Amino acid sequence: MRIFHRIDDIEVYSDKQKKILDFFEENTQEFIVAAIPCRFSEKYSDIFRNYKNCTIYQHGYEHYNRAISGWYDEFPENMGEDEIYNMIKKGKERLEKILSCKIVGYVPPWNNTSNATMKSIDALDFEIYSAQKNNTNKYKKNKDIDIDIIESYEPKIVYKNLDCIYKGITELKDICKNVGIMYHFKDASKEDLEKIFDFIKKVELLNSK
């Protein structure tokens, strides 16, 4: 079984965020960073260039909900296709300029994507689409998430029982070739981070070399 990790909502630089990213680089075989282009700090440029186990994917443009109703979506069907295309293109170009590398993957904010957005990411030559496994959008290559460690996001973040998640992953060992785990660290306390880091170290022992 191959395990990969995806850290969402990377944008403004902080020492806390740098510590988290360094942990993943030092303790995991593969992790994806979903970067929000309009607020992505140029300070990350040299940091990511030195990472060997990390790939940067684009995470929308500004992670702002524009859906009139229903589930959150940055680029819903009520937006014009040209506007969607231009915003995603602008974000892709900004990330590529800061990082001096091609951005090949796209992660939709809230793991939700309209048909118009799918057309735009195809036209912009993204090679990989990463949402959650239950999404209905099939792309050239999907690298979707199986597990979200968060139980609820509002009114405050509540984490799932990490021991139960670990047990579930061990049961998938002989069934699934790939397992993706998603993380949001914005409001994580020091205690939360310690528990999550211990969980990741245990999970990585299950990872095939």
Side-chain angles (χ1 to χ4, degrees):
M1 178 170 64
R2 181 75 177 178
I3 295 167
F4 69 92
H5 310 267
R6 196 185 84 198
I7 311 171
D8 284 10
D9 299 353
I10 301 300
E11 45 178 335
V12 178
Y13 177 87
S14 71
D15 290 337
K16 173 186 172 183
Q17 194 67 75
K18 170 68 162 54
K19 178 182 176 182
I20 291 169
L21 294 168
D22 284 346
F23 172 85
F24 275 83
E25 172 64 18
E26 293 164 8
N27 293 278
T28 70
Q29 292 186 39
E30 179 185 5
F31 71 106
I32 295 163
V33 164
I36 301 173
C38 79
R39 296 187 295 276
F40 187 73
S41 175
E42 294 184 10
K43 197 169 181 180
Y44 282 123
S45 175
D46 290 337
I47 294 169
F48 283 114
R49 286 177 190 168
N50 292 324
Y51 286 166
K52 306 299 182 186
N53 301 325
C54 175
T55 307
I56 310 294
Y57 286 8
Q58 182 172 337
H59 197 28
Y61 176 67
E62 55 188 342
H63 210 303
Y64 176 78
N65 177 38
R66 294 184 177 83
I68 296 172
S69 62
W71 190 245
Y72 293 172
D73 192 345
E74 182 169 7
F75 305 118
E77 295 290 353
N78 55 280
M79 287 182 68
E81 287 189 15
D82 287 346
E83 184 179 7
I84 293 172
Y85 175 90
N86 289 331
M87 288 183 75
I88 296 175
K89 181 174 184 286
K90 183 178 179 181
K92 189 172 191 281
E93 289 174 345
R94 183 169 192 274
L95 290 178
E96 290 179 341
K97 181 179 180 181
I98 291 172
L99 297 165
S100 300
C101 68
K102 184 179 180 182
I103 301 298
V104 299
Y106 184 84
V107 176
W110 299 287
N111 291 286
N112 192 29
T113 315
S114 65
N115 291 329
T117 306
M118 294 303 293
K119 291 179 183 176
S120 292
I121 66 173
D122 185 34
L124 289 165
D125 293 325
F126 285 96
E127 299 170 15
I128 304 168
Y129 175 80
S130 178
Q132 286 181 300
K133 270 283 170 63
N134 60 359
N135 88 90
T136 57
N137 297 109
K138 299 307 171 188
Y139 196 58
K140 305 168 190 174
K141 180 178 180 181
N142 284 67
K143 198 173 181 71
D144 293 326
I145 293 299
D146 301 89
I147 298 164
D148 184 352
I149 69 166
I150 293 176
E151 182 69 44
S152 65
Y153 287 82
E154 296 176 355
K156 65 177 184 177
I157 286 180
V158 177
Y159 290 95
K160 295 175 182 175
N161 185 302
L162 295 177
D163 289 334
C164 290
I165 294 177
Y166 176 78
K167 185 175 183 294
I169 294 173
T170 62
E171 293 169 355
L172 295 173
K173 187 169 176 60
D174 298 321
I175 302 172
C176 298
K177 290 183 178 179
N178 298 287
V179 173
I181 308 171
M182 178 172 67
Y183 307 84
H184 290 81
F185 288 109
K186 185 176 180 181
D187 297 317
S189 66
K190 182 179 179 181
E191 183 180 3
D192 291 331
L193 289 178
E194 289 174 355
K195 291 178 181 178
I196 294 168
F197 287 176
D198 285 344
F199 162 77
I200 291 168
K201 288 178 179 178
K202 282 175 63 180
V203 166
E204 280 294 311
L205 295 175
L206 301 173
N207 215 342
S208 57
K209 301 298 182 183

